[in-house]
Amino acid sequence: MGVVDVTRAAAREQVLIAMLGIPRLLADPAWRDADPDQGRGAGVLLVPGFGFGDASLRLTATWFRKRGYVPIGARIGLNVGCTTTLLDRLERRLEAHAEATGGKVILFGQSRGGGLSRLLSVRRPELVRGLVMLASPVLDQLGAHPSVVRVARKLARLSAAGLPGLVDQDCFAGPCYDTNSAAMGQPLEVPAISVYSRNDAIAPWELCADPCADCVEVSSSHTGMALDPEVYRVLGPRVAEWTRDRSVAALSNRAPEPVSMAG
């Protein structure tokens, strides 16, 4: 990739640029054509990327909800904390949502959120119906663009200085990193989809090609992947397969109470 191509790719990763694609998404049949019985009340746990909160996946939550799923946010703030700490919080969130919806839950994660979701799938496969990873470099936790890694290391220094709730040095070289690297290398026991793009200027596509997942290439940017109709055309039939055997009798007698997507 030449200098001009790299510059253009980096420009596409700006959040405001990615948001320009929202009208195209909302007008696409992949968004508009919805079978409200498809999800059969199956729960979905949405995990945002590094530096983003639940609001970044609000449209994804709407897409699932229109199709009869019950999506909730991760409630982990901006996803800048210690990997092990966040994983423990997500596990409790998963347990609660599985109980509320009466069955296994689909995990949907973007970027770092996909890596956390994969770790959670390894830890609690009995609670996971399926795993979706968008632009998640799961083959190397530190393989994201150097600028992203530099930000993470700066946060670790702030954590060492006493600022709570941030990624710390153990996440780069210590027990946290060792434990989660080993877990990330374990095979999956649940069906999984890994969506990647060669136009991704943040996560190298090669690091997203999880050998345990159904790997699918799209043409979107990293930041705009959850706003790309091509992604939903890919996901629609695949996640529908995961809920096809879900019995209505397995659902709780009352519908789960709406859960805010706010972080």
Side-chain angles (χ1 to χ4, degrees):
M1 183 180 289
V3 174
V4 174
D5 292 332
V6 170
T7 302
R8 288 175 177 170
R12 293 182 67 198
E13 298 301 352
Q14 299 299 315
V15 174
L16 292 178
I17 297 298
M19 291 178 66
L20 293 177
I22 292 178
R24 184 170 69 96
L25 170 64
L26 300 183
D28 195 278
W31 175 271
R32 291 187 290 102
D33 298 344
D35 176 4
D37 296 322
Q38 176 183 306
R40 304 184 183 186
V44 181
L45 177 57
L46 302 164
V47 188
F50 180 75
F52 286 86
D54 288 337
S56 66
L57 293 176
R58 188 165 288 159
L59 283 175
T60 304
T62 300
W63 184 84
F64 274 111
R65 191 176 295 110
K66 289 171 60 178
R67 287 157 181 76
Y69 300 89
V70 183
I72 63 170
R75 289 188 177 176
I76 56 172
L78 295 179
N79 194 355
V80 292
C82 166
T83 301
T84 299
T85 300
L86 294 181
L87 191 57
D88 291 342
R89 291 174 61 183
L90 287 170
E91 182 178 11
R92 293 192 292 271
R93 191 82 165 136
L94 172 63
E95 290 172 342
H97 200 38
E99 182 177 358
T101 56
K104 297 181 179 181
V105 173
I106 294 171
L107 297 181
F108 182 107
Q110 183 167 12
S111 194
R112 189 192 190 198
L116 290 170
S117 297
R118 193 191 195 285
L119 290 171
L120 189 55
S121 296
V122 169
R123 182 185 284 194
R124 300 299 302 274
E126 77 281 6
L127 297 180
V128 179
R129 183 174 298 276
L131 167 66
V132 178
M133 298 173 284
L134 297 190
S136 302
V138 295
L139 300 186
D140 183 356
Q141 296 181 75
L142 303 179
H145 190 276
S147 63
V148 177
V149 177
R150 282 196 297 270
V151 170
R153 291 190 181 279
K154 287 179 181 178
L155 293 176
R157 289 195 289 271
L158 289 174
S159 177
L163 194 63
L166 300 177
V167 61
D168 57 39
Q169 194 56 43
D170 273 357
C171 296
F172 294 96
C176 178
Y177 177 81
D178 293 340
T179 299
N180 290 310
S181 290
M184 195 73 83
Q186 292 185 25
L188 290 168
E189 299 179 24
V190 302
I193 303 167
S194 180
V195 183
Y196 68 88
S197 172
R198 295 173 193 261
N199 294 319
D200 191 327
I202 302 296
W205 70 268
E206 300 94 335
L207 300 182
C208 303
D210 190 329
C212 296
D214 177 11
C215 297
V216 182
E217 181 176 0
V218 296
S219 59
S220 69
S221 66
H222 181 91
T223 307
M225 194 168 285
L227 303 175
D228 190 333
E230 184 181 7
V231 171
Y232 294 97
R233 280 193 289 274
V234 165
L235 295 181
R238 287 170 168 82
V239 296
E241 285 291 333
W242 298 345
T243 58
R244 191 155 291 170
D245 62 348
R246 179 176 167 86
S247 172
V248 175
L251 299 175
S252 57
N253 291 329
R254 64 180 181 83
E257 297 179 2
V259 181
S260 172
M261 285 295 294

